[in-house]
Amino acid sequence: MGIILMVVSAVITGTFWYNREKADPSSARKWKLALLLTIATVAIQLGIVALLVSALEQVQQLTREFNGGDRPIIIGAVVGIILLEFLLLRAGIWWGVRNGIKSQARIIGKA
């Protein structure tokens, strides 16, 4: 559910961005926006995880998991998820900009 929500919000952001500027933003600007959105998303997710871990009193269990032999696997999985989120946000922004361009072309075509 969280992935769908991220992609939909990125599509809406891309469409809004195109409608505001009436031009296709450069690729570098799209990558920078995706990076900023990824940082914000990861910060929110870390806050939620920290809140849940402390509320459920599982801090010691989590500490044992990170100190165990599975540390590289856990870190790899977290980095992989963050990379996936980054790429999905970038794809959503691209898709949203393309939707804005197509809708603008339809409006011009009707006129």
Side-chain angles (χ1 to χ4, degrees), residues 69-91:
D70 294 336
R71 175 185 250 173
I73 295 171
I74 294 170
I75 292 172
V78 169
V79 169
I81 290 169
I82 292 171
L83 180 63
L84 177 67
E85 289 177 357
F86 175 65
L87 295 174
L88 285 173
L89 285 168
R90 175 58 173 91

Side-chain angles (χ1 to χ4, degrees), residues 7 16 25 31 35-36 74 91:
V7 173
F16 179 76
W31 283 109
L35 181 62
L36 289 173
I74 294 170

Side-chain angles (χ1 to χ4, degrees), residues 23-66:
D24 188 5
S26 69
S27 182
R29 288 181 71 197
K30 291 177 195 172
W31 283 109
K32 287 177 188 175
L33 179 62
L35 181 62
L36 289 173
L37 291 174
T38 302
I39 291 169
T41 302
V42 169
I44 291 169
Q45 290 172 341
L46 287 175
I48 291 171
V49 167
L51 182 67
L52 287 174
V53 166
S54 65
L56 298 175
E57 299 175 359
Q58 294 295 317
V59 176
Q60 291 177 352
Q61 175 64 29
L62 190 62
T63 305
R64 283 194 300 272
E65 291 292 331
F66 279 118

